Amino acid sequence: MIIVLKPDCSEPQLKHILEKITEMGFRHEVSRGVKRTLVGVIGEEDRLRNAPLRAIPGVEDVMSVLKPFKLASREFQEDASVFDLGHGVSVGGGNLILIAGPCAIEGEQVLFEIGRAVKEAGANVLRGGAFKPRTSPYSYQGMGEAGLKILRTVGDELEMPVVTEVMDPRQVELVNRYTDMFQIGARNMQNFNLLSEVGQTNRPVLLKRGMSASVQDLLMSAEYILASGNKQVILCERGIRSFDNSTRNLLDLAAVPNVRGLSHLPIIVDPSHATGRPDLIPSMALASIAAGADGVHIEVHNCPEKAMSDGPQALLPDQYAELVAQMRAIADLLGKTIPAPGDAVTV
Ligand code: PEP
Ligand code: MN
């Protein structure tokens, strides 16, 4: 349910409303928009329908959200969400993030080299996996905590926020010590225990769309994180399974404007995992920005043939730099900003 407050609802009245909601056994989430303040009331649907919310002083209207995702919906929050990722980089509401780096963290030296190159090219978030969700148990599984330490060191040295995947609720506390943003991978998008666990931190979460998940499934998974108390979810379209094996996955570009209509959460695109093909990544990245994405997530390696994972889809630093220049031109055209690490945050 969404409570619309009267325009003249005072702070003490709002406090009273929130206390009443808690007394009734529901949870609440306040959304202060430019025009109105709303209160999302979360709880069991049948009980909510009969709750006497309209009778509380200061309440103008009570509406049920028909969509199954509530806190993630545009009804609950009209204005685009903007999140601060650290080092002056924010995402959403016209701020684009360019996440770049190797698929896996392989060592300090190589991550420094790649990190320096992507930062110089204009990337504003450094990526690298320390826990890798590989299809085969015999493939490289990542460096674990040693990799997280390297990522933190390199991120700090380059003054870039970092993002890395967390695969298991038991790893959340460990990964939280090193990263600026959690990544939940496609294979774990519906690992509801993991979603609730990152939902109990206050760290931004990059939630990737599962390879056979609908747009609604993606938003329902975001809802798990939001309902656990963490408002900072960034969605990522990374391609879905199709019958056509000429690309690794099928990029659902329409998901970008589709999600933007349904939700206030930022949505970015990962053309690397969506296509698996360096010859297609640049055009899909440009199309993503043009389609209204809040950023792109691209794998870059300085020596793809030696990469421990996903080498064949990595862009070389020079190719990435050329692409960033083109993305910048589209961003300028659309009046969007690519924050440079170190800039003042605009949240
Ligand atoms: C990755 O980002 O390296 C990754 C494994 O992505 P996805 O979960 O989208 O396959
Ligand atoms: Mn990868």
Side-chain angles (χ1 to χ4, degrees), residues 34 121 192 264 304:
V34 177
F192 300 115
H264 53 88

Side-chain angles (χ1 to χ4, degrees), residues 103 127 132 248 273 299 309-310 313:
C103 182
R127 66 147 283 146
K132 294 304 304 173
R248 184 172 175 179
H273 293 87
E299 287 184 347
S309 79
D310 281 349
Q313 72 187 29

Side-chain angles (χ1 to χ4, degrees), residues 138-343:
Y138 309 118
S139 299
Y140 179 64
Q141 302 287 313
M143 290 183 77
E145 186 172 2
L148 295 174
K149 284 188 177 150
I150 290 173
L151 183 63
R152 183 73 270 156
T153 305
V154 175
D156 285 347
E157 184 69 24
L158 296 173
E159 296 185 280
M160 289 174 92
V162 298
V163 58
T164 196
E165 180 158 356
V166 60
M167 286 178 26
D168 187 306
R170 292 166 297 184
Q171 291 166 351
V172 168
E173 194 252 319
L174 172 74
V175 177
N176 194 24
R177 274 188 255 141
Y178 295 99
T179 196
D180 296 300
M181 173 159 62
F182 290 114
Q183 176 171 318
I184 305 270
R187 291 155 192 81
N188 269 315
M189 188 205 81
Q190 286 185 314
N191 182 339
F192 300 115
N193 292 332
L194 179 59
L195 301 176
S196 300
E197 199 68 29
V198 295
Q200 286 164 55
T201 72
N202 53 14
R203 206 163 282 296
V205 180
L206 179 64
L207 178 65
K208 298 186 93 177
R209 180 178 180 182
M211 51 194 86
S212 37
S214 65
V215 164
Q216 180 163 309
D217 292 337
L218 173 63
L219 290 166
M220 290 310 292
S221 288
E223 190 76 15
Y224 261 92
I225 301 172
L226 301 172
S228 303
N230 186 347
K231 293 184 188 155
Q232 305 183 83
V233 180
I234 297 110
L235 305 165
C236 180
E237 162 60 38
R238 47 77 73 205
I240 47 179
R241 280 273 161 94
S242 89
F243 57 83
D244 184 355
N245 61 7
S246 65
T247 54
R248 184 172 175 179
N249 289 289
L250 183 71
L251 177 60
D252 177 10
L253 208 49
V256 173
N258 192 357
V259 164
R260 284 169 64 89
L262 294 167
S263 177
H264 53 88
L265 297 172
I267 175 158
I268 69 165
V269 173
D270 170 356
S272 297
H273 293 87
T275 66
R277 286 178 42 183
D279 58 326
L280 304 182
I281 292 167
S283 50
M284 291 303 96
L286 294 170
S288 301
I289 302 293
D294 296 289
V296 290
H297 178 258
I298 292 176
E299 287 184 347
V300 178
H301 203 289
N302 54 1
C303 190
E305 65 269 31
K306 283 203 196 140
M308 304 294 281
S309 79
D310 281 349
Q313 72 187 29
L315 289 190
L316 289 163
D318 283 353
Q319 294 172 312
Y320 182 70
E322 194 183 330
L323 171 58
V324 173
Q326 294 170 344
M327 288 194 285
R328 207 178 277 288
I330 297 182
D332 285 348
L333 206 62
L334 297 175
K336 301 209 172 165
T337 307
I338 302 173
D343 279 0

Side-chain angles (χ1 to χ4, degrees), residues 101-122:
C103 182
I105 298 156
E106 300 163 0
E108 192 162 320
Q109 181 67 22
V110 64
L111 190 64
F112 253 123
E113 279 170 24
I114 298 169
R116 238 193 311 264
V118 296
K119 185 180 179 191
E120 224 160 82

